[in-house]
Amino acid sequence: MTELSRRATALRAWHRPGDPLILPNAWDAGSARAVVAAGFPAVATSSAAVAEALGHADGEATPVAEMFAAVARIAAAVPVPVTADLERGYGLRPAELVDRLLAAGVVGCNIEDSDPRTGELYDVEEQADLLAGIRAAAGAAGVDLVLNARVDVHLRAYGPEPGRLAEAVRRARRYRAAGADSVYPILLADPAQIHDLVAEVDAPVNILARPGAPAAGELAALGVARISFGSGVYAAARARAADLLATVRAGGDPFAS
């Protein structure tokens, strides 16, 4: 476990507020190698992109063995730390989840706080118990996994809009206390609200890069510690492939500049 521990330590250290770790999410071994070749120090997976690439839908529709096999291929393909998007853990108990992660060669994971199938947010204490269980299982296994706690308040449009930031802060603080290394208020994009959440939560903050969100430089100035792209790179690659195929179907040259 020495190499896994070293990679986990490095991954955690790269979460620096104001100098964020940028993670263009991969979906297979080839895309993971491309991320490393472009100069990024770590690889993150996207559950939605991996699921679609395997022929499944997002929302824990991918059989758990297939998801972990895909993640293992990604980890085996690159010489850098890999963190996996695992939705809400596919119904696995914390010890089994951690065992499968480490067997796959992965040193971090995202865990979301809403039901992938129904979209309903879990009770904050139930989610905190899950995160604490994962942290304890990782400690027992001897590898200090980097645990990124996703906060789905904005994704699920939970409650009246004026109160969403306060609820996101409440959940983020509780997840941090339960053992999360970082918090991920997915779809939070308003600069003022990002600033306030960063100021009010004693944890590195992960923001999703997407249309309408601040650019990387502005996110760094707001104190963000991690920027991820979700399924965005995969969607862009699919769109480019569709354009090339349409050109071929029309009798054109897809490689013309």
Side-chain angles (χ1 to χ4, degrees), residues 4 9 17 33 49 54 63 74 93 106 128 135 160 165 173 183 185 202 237 242 246:
L4 290 181
T9 297
R33 289 191 183 108
L54 292 173
I74 288 170
R93 293 183 181 276
V106 173
R135 171 58 61 218
L165 180 63
R173 286 174 170 169
V183 295
D202 182 24

Side-chain angles (χ1 to χ4, degrees), residues 192-206:
Q193 292 194 15
I194 293 172
H195 172 273
D196 290 348
L197 187 138
V198 168
E200 294 185 41
V201 177
D202 182 24
V205 173
N206 181 178

